[in-house]
Amino acid sequence: MTTTRLRNLVIASENPCTFTHAARTAVAAVASLLVARLFRMPEAYWAPITTLVVMQSSLQASLPISAQRLAGTAVGAACGALTGAYFPGNVLVFGAAVLVIGLVCAAFKVERSAYRYAGITLAIVMLIVRPSPEWIIAIHRFFEVSLGIAVGLAVTALWPETK
């Protein structure tokens, strides 16, 4: 790959990062972390991570990725809670669960991003060893991500980026 081609993959010809976007994103990420800590969420860092994922230049651009993130997280958390309760950390069951989620998503023509988020959540719930049962981890994960989405959408709606 030439440096010109690599540069073209990174340097924006459309929709470059702006000062306003960076400021909005920073405010939203900090706000979601503070709210998650206020509610004493056990893995509060998932809220700002999700906020960083869903922050776009407009509410219209943020809504699809937010819906995909929410749906994927719900599916991955439910599947992770179920499979993790009976087969915690089992690599073969994890692989089978990723495949089954993918087949269900394919059957319903679900956006690939939602499938990706489902797999990520499944891995987090099922493969990271914690003292709590997987269903509790799954519920926490869902609420932490939901909070991050809500804050990201709220900041995007209340502080629109102007071109």
Side-chain angles (χ1 to χ4, degrees):
M1 182 176 291
T2 66
T3 56
T4 303
R5 187 165 177 206
L6 181 60
R7 181 184 182 281
N8 290 339
L9 293 173
V10 176
I11 304 301
S13 58
E14 296 179 27
N15 199 26
C17 191
T18 64
F19 173 78
T20 303
H21 181 70
R24 288 170 57 237
T25 302
V27 167
V30 169
S32 64
L33 179 61
L34 292 175
V35 173
R37 286 182 175 173
L38 177 71
F39 285 108
R40 299 177 192 255
M41 293 182 167
E43 296 183 27
Y45 53 85
W46 286 117
I49 288 171
T50 300
T51 299
L52 293 168
V53 169
V54 302
M55 289 292 296
Q56 302 293 322
S57 57
S58 69
L59 187 59
Q60 184 178 359
S62 295
L63 284 174
I65 196 166
S66 296
Q68 293 160 13
R69 180 76 185 227
L70 185 65
T73 299
V75 169
C79 191
L82 183 63
T83 57
Y86 296 102
F87 308 99
N90 185 302
V91 175
L92 293 176
V93 173
F94 169 71
V98 171
L99 177 62
V100 168
I101 291 171
L103 294 174
V104 169
C105 287
F108 287 100
K109 298 190 183 311
V110 172
E111 179 70 36
R112 283 186 183 195
S113 291
Y115 169 58
R116 185 178 319 119
Y117 295 131
I120 291 167
T121 301
L122 171 72
I124 291 166
V125 171
M126 189 177 173
L127 300 178
I128 298 175
V129 179
R130 298 180 182 88
S132 301
E134 285 76 8
W135 68 270
I136 291 175
I137 302 304
I139 290 170
H140 289 167
R141 170 93 172 125
F142 179 77
F143 282 115
E144 291 152 358
V145 167
S146 297
L147 174 66
I149 291 169
V151 171
L153 290 175
V155 170
T156 301
L158 296 172
W159 185 2
E161 187 171 337
T162 56
K163 298 261 178 187

